[in-house]
Amino acid sequence: MSNRKLHPATLAVRAQMERSAQMEHSAPLYLTSSFAFESAENMRAAFADEIEANIYSRYSNPNVDEFANKMALLEKAEAGFAVASGMAAVSMSFFALLKAGDHLLCCRSMFGGTNTVVTKFLPRFGIEYTLVPADDLSAWEAAIRPNTRMIYLETPTNPQLELIDLEAVGRLARKHGIIYNVDNCFATPVLQTPVDFGADLVIHSATKWLDGQGRVLGGVVVGKKELIHDIYLFCRNTGPALSPFNSWVLSKSLETLDVRIQRHSENALAVARHFENHPKLKWVKYPFLSSHPQYEIAIKQMKAGGGIVCFELSGGLESGRKFMDALELLSLTPNLGDSRSIASHPASTTHSKVPPADQLAVGITPGLIRISVGLEHVDDIIYDIQQALEQA
């Protein structure tokens, strides 16, 4: 379309691999483990990186490349690489770029699986870490050491929905020459693009909002070309490959991401407002509620609040169990970002491997409930939560 700059929502629909001689309208599936060569010389040149060619689907595949390239476009990044799951994306961004003696600086509030990788596995390889409060920028700078190689954060955080000032941390990373790595899973590129605030890498669990229907696992890292190349080389040799089929599903899912996230956000805001002053709840948290502690940060760097609402039941663990068991419409599953609304209890599921004291330090209490607000009619979602609260 000449030199016209297309809107990201249009890119999500229209960006795809070149058509084959069959002139297909939708991208075909390349369900193959390897690719053939016309000559021994072409095969040698491909392995020597002298020519660009698909060799083996652990290295690259047209479907995987299409999904990763589309995500790079949406996140305004130079390049991307897709892997088998969100945790593979997180882990590969660490292990490909950090070495023994390096120091990783992280927000204390983060997904339970990421916490386990950082606190249990990285030290086995001689990589040090420091966890700092998400909302204390002075603590971030005070924790930087001469060997600090990377800053890693989530915003909004999982599950407490804490907001971190991306621009302020970006300035800090540039000042000290540190890789700036942001998990943008909860916001998606529809609501927030961390590259605009200085991020060098952006990570997603594609299993969540990017797929949006609870079908497939996937992960993706986008960012600066030289960093993505290092991640690619590491993954090419260690093998966390994303399947072509899952890639095809995820690439098609991106075509509806914009409209889905708008509806998720509208429904979630309505749910949060409805229950904000409910007598059985100690508090309700949602980024676009004015009562959110970091509301000003949310409206500065996000276009809407996303699809997650969390609240704390006054009765603690026992009330939480009764609430979950009383739900009729909402699903009980540890996933999120589905078209169907989901309720989960982080302390006993996604963050159960985090020590209880550490859970409490980041606000994961026994009564905390995380709601992934789906695409059902909002009145039905509210009714189910209301009737479950009455029984809790």
Side-chain angles (χ1 to χ4, degrees), residues 95 113 115-127:
F95 286 110
N115 181 284
T116 298
V117 171
V118 169
T119 62
K120 184 173 291 187
F121 294 112
L122 291 187
R124 295 183 184 181
F125 296 89
I127 299 168

Side-chain angles (χ1 to χ4, degrees), residues 24 42 61-62 65 93-94 102 105 121 126 141 144 149 183 208 235 246 254 326 333 343 356 373 392:
E24 66 280 345
N42 279 353
N61 175 283
D65 292 345
S93 75
F94 294 157
D102 284 343
L105 180 56
F121 294 112
E141 184 151 27
I144 292 175
R149 168 75 170 157
D183 183 332
K208 309 302 191 296
C235 293
N246 285 14
L254 292 181
T333 174
V373 181

Side-chain angles (χ1 to χ4, degrees), residues 284-313:
V284 174
K285 191 178 283 186
Y286 182 70
F288 267 45
L289 283 181
S290 59
S291 58
H292 191 289
Q294 293 97 35
Y295 174 69
E296 295 301 324
I297 295 174
I299 61 174
K300 180 179 79 169
Q301 64 193 31
M302 298 178 70
K303 295 176 182 176
I308 299 293
V309 176
C310 61
F311 51 75
E312 184 176 4
L313 290 156

Side-chain angles (χ1 to χ4, degrees), residues 132-210:
V132 294
D135 61 348
D136 188 349
L137 282 173
S138 61
W140 286 85
E141 184 151 27
I144 292 175
R145 306 175 187 173
N147 63 330
T148 302
R149 168 75 170 157
M150 180 184 288
I151 290 175
Y152 175 87
L153 60 85
E154 302 172 6
T155 182
T157 62
N158 182 5
Q160 260 282 47
L161 297 178
E162 292 183 273
L163 278 296
I164 301 171
D165 191 326
L166 286 168
E167 185 176 26
V169 178
R171 286 195 300 265
L172 191 62
R174 286 194 302 275
K175 176 182 175 181
H176 295 274
I178 300 168
I179 296 170
Y180 186 17
N181 188 356
V182 178
D183 183 332
N184 199 31
C185 178
F186 270 25
T188 82
V190 172
L191 303 183
Q192 177 175 276
T193 45
V195 169
D196 287 336
F197 303 99
D200 300 307
L201 294 172
V202 181
I203 289 176
H204 286 274
S205 170
T207 312
K208 309 302 191 296
W209 305 106
L210 301 187

Side-chain angles (χ1 to χ4, degrees), residues 76-80 97 174 178-180 195 198-202 221-231:
K76 305 179 184 179
E78 295 174 1
L97 300 172
R174 286 194 302 275
I178 300 168
I179 296 170
Y180 186 17
V195 169
D200 300 307
L201 294 172
V202 181
V221 189
V222 302
K224 289 188 174 179
K225 188 177 294 185
E226 63 273 18
L227 297 177
I228 296 298
H229 185 65
D230 287 345
I231 292 170

